[in-house]
């Protein structure tokens, strides 16, 4: 289940916020809708150095990726 927690740049999406893999996919879909631009989950994971989905993402991993890739458009 999902946990209620304040987030910071170091907050882990899965471990701290209780997101599951389907929640990450839904989060990415919502971000894509808001940005009106595709967001590649695999690329975000690679950018973080995660070779599989077993490694968690920090809020800052996601926000840094969005900022660097969205500003290029």
């Amino acid at each position: 289940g999902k946990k209620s927690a304040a987030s910071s740049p170091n907050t882990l999406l899965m471990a701290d916020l209780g997101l599951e893999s389907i929640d990450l996919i839904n989060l990415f879909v919502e971000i894509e809708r808001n940005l009106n631009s595709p967001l590649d989950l695999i690329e975000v994971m690679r950018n973080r150095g995660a070779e599989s989905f077993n490694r968690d993402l920090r809020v800052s991993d996601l926000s840094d990726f969005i900022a660097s890739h969205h500003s290029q458009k």
Side-chain angles (χ1 to χ4, degrees):
K2 296 180 187 51
K3 302 174 186 177
S4 177
S7 66
S8 74
N10 290 320
T11 299
L12 295 169
L13 297 177
M14 297 174 96
D16 295 334
L17 298 180
L19 297 183
E20 297 178 11
S21 56
I22 189 68
D23 299 319
L24 283 179
I25 293 168
N26 289 331
L27 176 62
F28 274 69
V29 167
E30 287 302 316
I31 292 170
E32 288 176 340
R33 284 185 194 160
N34 281 300
L35 295 177
N36 198 25
S37 170
L39 184 63
D40 187 348
L41 178 59
I42 302 297
E43 190 175 346
V44 173
M45 297 299 285
R46 283 189 190 133
N47 194 53
R48 167 75 168 89
E51 295 178 11
S52 72
F53 288 95
N54 294 330
R55 293 198 45 200
D56 209 342
L57 288 171
R58 290 184 178 92
V59 169
S60 61
D61 297 326
L62 184 55
S63 63
D64 291 349
F65 182 86
I66 292 168
S68 67
H69 285 73
H70 188 62
S71 66
Q72 295 174 1
K73 300 199 182 268

